[in-house]
Amino acid sequence: MGQHQRRVRVGRPSGEAWRVGLVCIALLPVGVLITSFDQDEDQLLANAPVVSGVVVDEPVPLIDRGQPLTVSFTTSRGERVETTIEKYLVPRRNKGQSIEIQYAYDGDEVFAREAGWVPDFWSRYFYLCLGIVGGVVGTAVLLTSSRRRQAPGSK
C-alpha cells in the first residue's frame, strides 16, 4: 500500500492581511530611499566649508534629541542663511549660542550640519533596518494568512 501524501492547500490572504502586508512591505523601498538621500547628503557635506553661526531657535526642552535646531550663518558667498539642522552634537543649545556649521550647496539648496558631526551606524542605517523589518513582517503576514485561509470546501 502506498503512503498518502498530504497536500497543503494555500488560500488567498484576507483583505486586512493584504493591507497590513503591503504597508509593511512598502517600508522597504521607503527605508532604502531615506538611507540613500541621507548618504548623499553626508557625502555632499564630507569636505564642505565650516563657518560660525548662531542658534536662532532651540529644540523643545523635554525632547532634546531628534528635534531640529534652527541656526543662522553667512556663507562664503556672503549670503545670510537661516535653516534647521538635525545633525548636531550637543543636545541642549541655547538661543544666541554660537555653533560651527558645515554647509554645502546642491543647486540652490543649502545643506548644513554642525561641524564635526559624523554619522554612526544607527543614524545612517536606521531607516534601512526599519524597512527590512517591515518587509519581513509584511511577507510573514501574507504567508501566514494565506496558509490559514483555505479555499471553501477543502479539508
Side-chain angles (χ1 to χ4, degrees):
M1 288 183 113
Q3 289 184 342
H4 295 285
Q5 291 183 0
R6 186 174 181 203
R7 286 186 163 173
V8 176
R9 294 187 184 213
V10 179
R12 290 184 159 183
S14 67
E16 184 176 337
W18 271 112
R19 286 188 293 276
V20 170
L22 292 177
V23 166
C24 289
I25 290 171
L27 290 176
L28 183 57
V30 169
V32 169
L33 279 173
I34 291 172
T35 300
S36 173
F37 290 144
D38 206 32
Q39 283 184 338
D40 290 347
E41 183 180 329
D42 289 337
Q43 287 175 353
L44 182 67
L45 291 167
N47 297 312
V50 176
V51 294
S52 289
V54 65
V55 176
V56 176
D57 195 17
E58 53 193 281
V60 178
L62 300 175
I63 316 172
D64 290 332
R65 263 300 184 214
Q67 296 296 307
L69 182 66
T70 305
V71 296
S72 177
F73 60 95
T74 303
T75 67
S76 58
R77 297 180 184 176
E79 296 176 44
R80 189 83 177 146
V81 175
E82 184 173 307
T83 189
T84 57
I85 59 173
E86 294 180 0
K87 298 175 179 179
Y88 51 93
L89 301 169
V90 180
R92 290 292 299 138
R93 297 289 184 162
N94 296 320
K95 191 173 181 177
Q97 185 177 356
S98 65
I99 183 172
E100 295 295 305
I101 300 293
Q102 192 171 24
Y103 73 94
Y105 285 95
D106 187 17
D108 291 336
E109 193 172 0
V110 177
F111 290 92
R113 67 181 178 198
E114 183 172 6
W117 188 90
V118 179
D120 61 2
F121 177 83
W122 287 112
S123 63
R124 178 169 281 175
Y125 296 110
F126 173 75
Y127 292 104
L128 180 60
C129 292
L130 187 66
I132 291 169
V133 168
V136 169
V137 167
T139 302
V141 165
L142 290 176
L143 290 176
T144 303
S145 176
S146 67
R147 288 189 182 257
R148 287 186 183 161
R149 283 185 62 144
Q150 293 184 354
S154 63
K155 289 190 174 191

